[in-house]
Amino acid sequence: MTRLPRKTIYLDHAATSFPKPEKVKQAVMDHLEKYSASPGRSGHSLSLAASRSLFEARETIAAFFHVDDSRKVIFTRNVTESLNLAIYGMVREGDHVVTTSMEHNSVMRPLRNLEAKGMIQLTVVLSSPEGLPDIEGLALAVQSKNPRLLIVNHASNVTGTLVDLERITEIKGSACLLVDGAQTAGSIPIHLDSLDVDLFAFTGHKALQGPQGTGGLILKTGQEPLHPLMQGGTGSHSEFEQQPDFLPDRFESGTPNGCGFAGLAAGISAVEERGVTAIREHEIKLTQKLLEGVLPLDRIQVFGPKDPHKQTAVISIQVDGMSPSEVGFQLDREFGICVRTGLHCAPAAHRTIGTFPQGTVRISLGITNSMEDVEAAIGALQWIISR
Amino acid sequence: MLYSIHNVMKAEQVLRSKEVLFDTIPVPKEISADCGMAILVAAEDRQRVQTILGKNGIDSKGIYLRTYGRYEKEND
């Protein structure tokens, strides 16, 4: 069977952004070519250059999120690691943790593991079928259980439903608020100087346009009683066999992903050039068009708020009579359209919206998408349901 | 002497903006076995540098005076 070459239409930005801005590729290449030396450890000019690159990346991230001291930006390899650090690092035996029913497995799996081991007690507060958190329910749980941690995502990776973080900070009580910013950092304005979030987890390779292998956890005060996940060489305090206490070394052992973070700094710079507000406007327009095209279609059910102002540029759909993977396969093979099907590593979210165990087709848009891409997706879905 | 390479980088940024001449050198082995770096400034600048760094939240582990290639800690 011959297949004509055609353009790939990438609609899986919630998984990872693609393609990356030119300056990101350049920054990674520059690092590899010019100063991919060991930062902070070797004392020679290449090592210093590598240290400066890493420092500048940290400062760029701090400035982007309105964090006053870049020491509070801890580098990790992805948001899963950030969340694991926050959860395993904060909880002590006998603690209580409260969370919503829309969380990703990078939150649920550590929590269920700790629960199974008898280390913590977990309260999962059911969100609405559109994915909206039950704020009153969370407030009650916080008041009655006095949890160590309150964990919410800023937006669902399945339905895109946006969480009102201001409201969450109002009801968190004395719990440490951990926000999973995987789906929002870079596409929704986030100013940590005016939001009472204690721990903010983000990834570099989605809307921040950085390479895979980059992410971080931002601490509010830097005094949080957080245990590191790893101990090892930090290029500091080397005469001691004990991990240093000071930031960021305490949480960063071993050689970091230097070229990755150089790329992430470039990615954030690309995002800032366009402006997060402008990006948000663009994504709202694209989501609006997609919803308008898909909602009237027979045999297609759309999940989530169905309102671009209440969600990120992510929509989940089901096609009556077809499995999500079948739909995804046809979109890919017939139309070159890349989407993600199944449970999106968030079985809890699918249970909440009523799509478990079959899952959904998730279309997620990003800065490289255009109205034409959305039109192509709508046309493709029309063709698929008409067969 | 500063705590950690992060502080050295921050000090570089701050001193550059204040146009203070400095060099970044490996921590002299007679001071510490640390793998890190230290900031070297002219002796007459040391109080000014200490103040500038202090204002920017950069704590120092101590000032060492170099005489004929040998480092000795300056008493507070």
Side-chain angles (χ1 to χ4, degrees):
Chain A
M1 189 182 344
T2 51
R3 251 185 213 106
L4 294 170
R6 73 177 114 52
K7 186 176 108 134
T8 300
I9 300 173
Y10 184 83
L11 304 181
D12 194 20
H13 292 267
T16 196
S17 54
F18 182 83
K20 304 293 182 192
E22 197 52 47
K23 55 161 61 173
V24 170
K25 294 185 260 179
Q26 198 57 56
V28 173
M29 199 51 170
D30 275 351
H31 193 282
L32 285 171
E33 278 189 336
K34 296 172 187 163
Y35 47 83
S36 243
S38 187
R41 285 154 174 83
S42 298
H44 51 70
S45 46
L46 287 181
S47 169
L48 268 181
S51 302
R52 282 185 198 116
S53 164
L54 211 58
F55 176 73
E56 268 150 34
R58 210 182 295 274
E59 291 269 297
T60 301
I61 296 169
F64 183 75
F65 290 110
H66 293 215
V67 175
D68 59 345
D69 186 342
S70 67
R71 263 177 297 201
K72 297 176 185 173
V73 175
I74 309 300
F75 286 152
T76 61
R77 74 167 178 273
N78 49 35
V79 67
T80 298
E81 185 185 325
S82 306
L83 292 163
N84 271 260
L85 169 59
I87 293 169
Y88 283 104
M90 276 303 285
V91 301
R92 309 285 182 266
E93 189 158 358
D95 276 350
H96 207 107
V97 176
V98 173
T99 190
T100 79
S101 68
M102 288 296 290
E103 305 306 317
H104 186 275
N105 264 350
S106 50
V107 166
M108 293 315 296
R109 282 183 173 179
L111 290 178
R112 291 296 182 198
N113 180 45
L114 286 164
E115 188 187 38
K117 291 197 157 95
M119 284 282 289
I120 63 162
Q121 285 192 303
L122 184 60
T123 297
V124 178
V125 178
L126 187 65
S127 300
S128 77
E130 276 85 42
L132 280 162
D134 173 6
I135 309 268
E136 273 67 45
L138 287 167
L140 273 169
V142 166
Q143 273 158 37
S144 62
K145 309 285 187 189
N146 199 23
R148 166 84 63 186
L149 272 175
L150 171 60
I151 308 176
V152 294
N153 63 40
H154 193 177
S156 164
N157 72 311
V158 174
T159 57
T161 313
L162 274 169
V163 167
D164 183 350
L165 289 182
E166 296 260 3
R167 277 293 283 138
I168 301 283
T169 62
E170 283 164 16
I171 58 113
K172 70 167 185 168
S174 55
C176 171
L177 174 59
L178 166 63
V179 171
D180 174 2
Q183 292 296 318
T184 54
S187 51
I188 306 272
I190 293 163
H191 299 161
L192 293 175
D193 57 345
S194 53
L195 211 49
D196 191 13
V197 171
D198 299 289
L199 299 171
F200 182 76
F202 69 90
T203 188
H205 69 89
K206 294 184 204 272
L208 290 177
Q209 308 300 318
Q212 292 166 13
T214 61
L217 183 69
I218 300 179
L219 315 178
K220 187 180 182 71
T221 64
Q223 311 290 331
E224 287 80 10
L226 195 59
H227 290 323
L229 278 179
M230 304 203 305
Q231 282 89 25
T234 56
S236 54
H237 253 216
S238 315
E239 56 266 52
F240 299 107
E241 286 179 343
Q242 283 72 40
Q243 190 80 357
D245 257 338
F246 46 81
L247 297 176
D249 301 42
R250 178 175 149 104
F251 297 105
E252 294 182 11
S253 303
T255 302
N257 181 4
C259 58
F261 282 98
L264 176 55
I268 291 177
S269 149
V271 166
E272 281 182 316
E273 258 166 38
R274 200 147 156 191
V276 180
T277 315
I279 291 172
R280 177 72 184 135
E281 301 280 314
H282 174 71
E283 289 187 359
I284 286 175
K285 285 203 182 91
L286 292 177
T287 311
Q288 179 73 45
K289 189 171 177 72
L290 182 59
L291 284 169
E292 280 167 4
V294 162
L295 280 166
L297 294 179
D298 250 358
R299 293 178 64 199
I300 291 192
Q301 195 185 352
V302 181
F303 297 88
K306 309 196 232 322
D307 176 350
H309 297 274
K310 297 194 173 140
Q311 62 187 96
T312 54
V314 166
I315 75 157
S316 264
I317 63 169
Q318 276 184 339
V319 176
D320 194 34
M322 287 178 78
S323 72
S325 48
E326 248 187 285
V327 176
F329 186 75
Q330 290 207 22
L331 282 170
D332 180 52
R333 285 307 170 90
E334 302 297 331
F335 300 94
I337 293 175
C338 305
V339 296
R340 183 165 174 195
T341 63
L343 293 173
H344 312 100
C345 296
H350 284 279
R351 280 202 164 91
T352 304
I353 69 175
T355 51
F356 190 88
Q358 61 280 60
T360 60
V361 178
R362 182 189 70 187
I363 302 169
S364 52
L365 310 163
I367 61 173
T368 52
N369 291 129
S370 61
M371 289 300 205
E372 286 74 38
D373 291 340
V374 174
E375 278 160 15
I378 296 167
L381 286 168
Q382 282 168 339
W383 182 88
I384 287 171
I385 59 172
S386 67
R387 295 203 333 140
Chain B
M1 282 290 295
L2 305 171
Y3 296 93
S4 92
I5 193 73
H6 178 98
N7 283 357
V8 171
M9 297 290 107
K10 186 88 194 165
E12 281 191 336
Q13 189 189 56
V14 164
L15 294 176
R16 224 175 264 130
S17 75
K18 296 285 183 204
E19 292 176 357
V20 175
L21 283 175
F22 68 91
D23 199 3
T24 309
I25 61 165
V27 169
K29 287 297 161 252
E30 68 225 64
I31 298 178
S32 164
D34 215 302
C35 298
M37 306 297 282
I39 300 283
L40 183 71
V41 300
E44 58 261 29
D45 283 339
R46 68 190 186 279
Q47 290 309 329
R48 187 175 157 229
V49 167
Q50 180 97 310
T51 310
I52 293 170
L53 295 183
K55 282 196 179 137
N56 284 273
I58 303 166
D59 295 326
S60 88
K61 271 204 284 200
I63 298 176
Y64 293 75
L65 292 169
R66 187 174 76 184
T67 327
Y68 300 116
R70 278 183 57 246
Y71 289 92
E72 262 171 33
K73 189 167 208 275
E74 186 176 45
N75 295 320
D76 293 316

